[in-house]
Amino acid sequence: MAVESGSVSAAEYEDQQPATLWAESGDDQSGAGGSSSTPETASAYQPAQVHGDAARDEADAAALAEAAGNSAVQHLSPAFPDRAAWGTASKLRAWQIEALTKYFEKEPRDFLTAATPGAGKTTFALRLATELLARGTVDRIVVVAPTEHLKRQWADSADRVGIRIDPMFKNGDGMFGRHYQGVAITYAQVGMNPEVHKRITEGGRTLVVLDEVHHGGDALTWGDGIREAFSGATRRLSLSGTPFRSDTAPIPFVQYAPDEQGIRTSISDYNYGYGRALKDGVVRPVLFMAYAGQMRWKTRMGDEMSASLGEPVTKDITAQAWRTALSPEGEWMPAVLSAADKRLTEVRRGVPDAGGLVIATDTTTARAYARILQQITGERPTVVLSDEAAGSSRISAFAEDTSRWMVAVRMVSEGVDVPRLCVGVYATSASTPLFFAQVIGRFVRARRRGETASVFLPSVPGLMALAATLELERDHALDRPKDTDDGLYNPEDAMVAEANKEDRASESLLEVQPFEALDSQASFDRVLYDGGEFGTGGEVGSLEELDFIGIPGLLEPDQVRDLLRARQATQAKRSKGRAAKDGTPKAPEPENRPMYMTLKEQRTELARLVSIWSRHSNEPHGSIHAELRRISGGPAVAQASIEQIQKRIDVLRSRIGGRR
């Protein structure tokens, strides 16, 4: 279903238990004999009674009162500090009540809630909106979302709690119909004509909900638009699952304060990160299944190059090896898609409707991946290539059915809600933290305890680092140097579209040196989970791979960790037994090759080790080379002999080994 959490119809809820109406502070009113307050929460946060709007005609007022009075949220008693029972929507989650309590302590004009994807930001926002409507604080709502699909998703969710929002509103309409209580629009709509939305906002007491507010920056069209349009709003609620940006443009309506280094950083009024949500059981734990392999491609000059995916080489070589792996013409993608489908089969033993999502770089590869999946499964996947109405309807249909796979290009932006997604394939060359977080957010939405998510991805250093720091919480820094190479995403005018394009870090090189993917072979590398690494690697289809693909799909986080450790120990014993049986393999005989080939390999190895040590020590490459010359002697690398370069390699290997 399209709602993040916590919403059922009034009839469904009243079937579960008697309704309880909570009164405003000072009103001694309760429902069904219940008390009008609960410990720790009622004093600060007590839902109000519903009042009609005298400005509406009589029929509209009656319809509004009936809708608001019968909505599920009006019957939800605060559950803080207890979390809602699993499988029910009779209570709000603890963090939602906690955030509502904090809001109603002061009822500020601006409030920023940063909550991890899947935590239930939509439910929180709609509960707050219902309260403000009922108290007469506001009489209309404007929701601003990044995409067309999210506009409709917000409208559907609001309708379930009795709030009528028009997602089809166009700038040319000027004003929404009286039968609606507000509109859902995109940042792009606001940027194109902020004056229209300023008139709507200032025409009544308005709550503006800015979904994924990090899309707005003062120096950008969208940021300028939302500041102009919504400066006169009665209340503004800003939401974000990934509240950080790469540029230093301030986000409208967000407060900043200096940190311990004096750098101005964004301040969330309430923060609920992935780490805490995982401990609370609100989101799923994520298993990252990393795959390496040997890649081979041809340059424009006709030279053939090869590299192992994931080995520490230059950024340009990594980009080309990665691109070769993602080519649907090679063997890497079919092997990884087949492994992911096996994992999905295992997960569906415990979660029968579990689905999978492949994130592709462009429409051509998306269609090719869909053909491969159809050959593997015998079932045609759902393919979503755009943010238009047809794409949105396909997502909605996939969310409700039980088919296996969906392949998407652009429809993975924040908030797209398909809770049954349990397995993902990261088949795009985008590698920014924001995009990565958005993608993983599609898989962490828990429906019941024990569900786990599995994401298959290339064994590329940048992605491995992001997977290992999934729980890292970031704030938006205003004073970060603009030339800082931290890899954060810079959302320009076509923000969501740009987020789904491939990483352009090596684009200039690829224009000069385009390549043809010749061959790609996949191998299982390792599993990343909760900051740890598990597995000894192995061929596709080997026991080493199947040990981890076969992990049950319903496990508590601690059980996942224990099982991974057990599988790791099993593989270590298996490897030791093979070594004892087979004996130590003999070293290969040296080949008689031209000296220049050996020198080239030595220089490549030295460059690789210098790069690794530079990341450890934060020293420039040039300084490291100079120190190696001082220690080992000899001329610059270009003039050094094999023996001289080998000495430098030995020095660095010793240092790196000691550091580990």
Side-chain angles (χ1 to χ4, degrees), residues 59-180:
D60 259 337
L64 170 62
E66 180 182 1
N70 289 331
S71 65
V73 290
Q74 283 302 119
H75 301 278
L76 300 185
S77 59
F80 180 78
D82 298 322
R83 180 171 53 75
W86 281 91
T88 74
S90 58
K91 300 177 183 178
L92 294 178
R93 287 171 173 163
W95 81 263
Q96 294 163 339
I97 292 294
E98 200 173 57
L100 286 166
T101 299
K102 188 168 185 179
Y103 181 88
F104 283 106
E105 285 174 354
K106 297 183 178 179
E107 294 198 40
R109 187 180 187 188
D110 287 295
F111 195 84
L112 171 60
T113 299
T116 187
K121 292 187 293 297
T122 300
T123 298
F124 163 73
L126 292 174
R127 183 59 164 123
L128 178 60
T130 303
E131 284 297 313
L132 293 177
L133 285 169
R135 296 182 183 206
T137 306
V138 301
D139 51 38
R140 61 181 60 179
I141 298 172
V142 173
V143 177
V144 191
T147 68
E148 292 290 328
H149 178 79
L150 290 180
K151 283 169 44 178
R152 290 182 284 272
Q153 190 167 289
W154 269 98
D156 290 343
S157 299
D159 186 71
R160 288 182 174 89
V161 296
I163 300 175
R164 295 164 297 178
I165 291 177
D166 181 10
M168 309 304 292
F169 176 83
K170 298 179 177 60
N171 287 352
D173 297 339
M175 178 56 68
F176 58 88
R178 295 181 63 191
H179 46 286
Y180 288 109

Side-chain angles (χ1 to χ4, degrees), residues 284 344 347-348 351-357 398 402-406 418-424 443 447:
R284 297 168 180 155
L344 181 60
V347 172
R348 286 168 74 105
V351 187
D353 68 338
L357 171 64
F398 182 83
T402 60
S403 59
R404 294 179 72 87
W405 284 99
M406 176 165 65
V418 185
R420 72 184 189 90
L421 286 176
C422 294
V423 178
F443 303 97
R447 298 177 297 177

Side-chain angles (χ1 to χ4, degrees), residues 610-620 624 655 659:
V610 167
S611 178
I612 293 173
W613 185 248
S614 175
R615 290 198 296 271
H616 278 302
S617 64
N618 292 321
E619 297 177 61
I624 298 173
R655 287 185 179 182
R659 182 66 176 265

Side-chain angles (χ1 to χ4, degrees), residues 164-212:
R164 295 164 297 178
I165 291 177
D166 181 10
M168 309 304 292
F169 176 83
K170 298 179 177 60
N171 287 352
D173 297 339
M175 178 56 68
F176 58 88
R178 295 181 63 191
H179 46 286
Y180 288 109
Q181 293 163 271
V183 296
I185 54 180
T186 64
Y187 287 96
Q189 280 181 265
V190 180
M192 286 187 290
N193 195 339
E195 184 61 34
V196 169
H197 306 286
K198 181 179 181 179
R199 287 197 299 268
I200 292 175
T201 302
E202 296 180 356
R205 294 166 297 179
T206 304
L207 167 66
V208 177
V209 179
L210 297 164
D211 188 20
E212 305 302 347

Side-chain angles (χ1 to χ4, degrees), residues 39 56 128 160 170 178 241 283 420 502 517 573 589 642:
R56 296 179 182 271
L128 178 60
R160 288 182 174 89
K170 298 179 177 60
R178 295 181 63 191
V283 295
R420 72 184 189 90
E502 68 177 277
K573 291 179 181 178
E589 295 293 330
I642 293 175

